[in-house]
Amino acid sequence: QVQLQESGPGLVKPSQTLSLTCTVSGGSISSDIYHWSWIRQPAGKGLEWIGRIYSSGSTIYNPSLKSRVTISVDTSKNQFSLKLSSVTAADTAVYYCARGAAFDPWGQGTLVTVSS
Amino acid sequence: DIQMTQSPSSLSASVGDRVTITCRASQGISNYLAWFQQKPGKAPKSLIYAASSLQSGVPSKFSGSGSGTDFTLTISSLQPEDFATYYCQQYNSYPPTFGGGTKVEIK
């Protein structure tokens, strides 16, 4: 079955760029049946969708983050990536990747802390 | 954005109880609704999609219903492993949005 795994630095300095990668295993990211999303969750709070990408490279971002977000895909590595620029403490959260419109499955999540 | 409102925000229940959680959308979303279960320190797990379709491997004690703006998640007989936080999510329009969550605790 398909599994997703997030990876990337756990600590990012304010004003810098957060970069994460989601590796897909057990299935191909190139199927256009699904798109691939990033979602985040600050500690003790709810879930916020960041954006999504198809294997074609087509993206849609949450308007609340659009000016700072870039999502890209590398089909040769079966991976997609998130870049979030100009981070502040408010971007500290667990970041998840997930498949499809109804978000199934999810990666295990990775905590990113924004601090100097 | 479509606002998703869950109620209650928390509830206390006993093992064996029937539990119902409600989710209301600020505008009609047809049946483009999913439910998730999240345990502390873990990623959300998909339970239901398309308002009432059970994900593969999810026990039949979970059921979903509704269409338009009003939806429910029902757990027919609460078991110890069901104590968790539950979220609804609409995927009718961008951006996808989540409810605030319902924490199910042991009475």
Side-chain angles (χ1 to χ4, degrees), chain A residues 41 49 52 96 101-104 107, chain B residues 36 38 43 55 87 89 94 96:
Chain A
Q41 185 175 37
W49 177 78
R52 68 92 169 132
Y96 298 101
F103 303 143
D104 177 65
Chain B
F36 302 92
Q38 187 177 34
Q55 285 286 4
Y87 293 94
Q89 175 243 332
Y94 284 99

Side-chain angles (χ1 to χ4, degrees), chain A residues 2 12 22 37-38 42 48 54 62 73 75 78 83 92 98 109:
Chain A
V2 171
V12 181
C22 180
S37 284
W38 287 99
E48 179 181 34
Y54 277 100
N62 193 323
V73 64
T75 55
N78 230 31
K83 291 189 185 298
T92 295

Side-chain angles (χ1 to χ4, degrees), chain B residues 4-80:
Chain B
M4 306 299 293
T5 304
Q6 284 183 239
S7 59
S9 56
S10 66
L11 65 89
S12 294
S14 301
V15 172
D17 282 354
R18 180 183 180 90
V19 168
T20 297
I21 298 168
T22 297
C23 179
R24 175 165 289 175
S26 61
Q27 59 188 265
I29 59 170
S30 185
N31 69 333
Y32 294 106
L33 185 100
W35 288 98
F36 302 92
Q37 176 193 66
Q38 187 177 34
K39 296 181 179 179
K42 299 294 187 182
K45 173 188 173 184
S46 177
L47 300 175
I48 286 170
Y49 64 99
S52 60
S53 296
L54 213 58
Q55 285 286 4
S56 175
V58 173
S60 59
K61 62 182 171 180
F62 293 98
S63 63
S65 65
S67 183
T69 60
D70 294 312
F71 302 86
T72 59
L73 172 70
T74 300
I75 309 171
S76 60
S77 177
L78 203 64
Q79 297 303 305

